[in-house]
Amino acid sequence: MHDPEETGFTSDGLDLDAALWVRGIDYLSGWREATDAARALADALEAAGVNATDLQLRAGTDPDGSGIITLKCSPDVARDVARLVE
């Protein structure tokens, strides 16, 4: 999982929607909610046998301040997760 407080935080490039903040929108609450949910998902996947080092979960916010989570993994890990959900 990557977030600004962790070492190894990386950016995949400039996202203008993510870079421009609008006064009055609570981005921090959305990011915190997404961070908590990403940690819960990572813990659940690891408990189910998916190696946490094989995936990346990144917490962020949409332009409206709502939390979002980006999952990045290999096709093999995606198939493992799909089998778990089925």
Side-chain angles (χ1 to χ4, degrees), residues 50-83:
V50 176
N51 188 346
T53 61
D54 294 337
L55 56 92
Q56 294 177 3
L57 292 166
R58 181 174 302 140
T61 58
D62 269 341
D64 67 356
S66 59
I68 59 168
I69 300 164
T70 304
L71 169 64
K72 186 176 181 180
C73 62
S74 70
D76 289 336
V77 172
R79 287 184 194 95
D80 290 344
V81 172
R83 277 187 229 114

Side-chain angles (χ1 to χ4, degrees), residues 14-74:
L14 179 63
D15 179 354
L16 291 178
D17 284 335
L20 299 175
W21 287 13
V22 177
R23 185 183 311 253
I25 295 181
D26 185 9
Y27 296 100
L28 189 55
S29 290
W31 179 81
R32 284 182 181 149
E33 181 181 7
T35 299
D36 291 344
R39 285 190 181 124
L41 178 58
D43 291 346
L45 289 173
E46 193 165 17
V50 176
N51 188 346
T53 61
D54 294 337
L55 56 92
Q56 294 177 3
L57 292 166
R58 181 174 302 140
T61 58
D62 269 341
D64 67 356
S66 59
I68 59 168
I69 300 164
T70 304
L71 169 64
K72 186 176 181 180
C73 62
S74 70

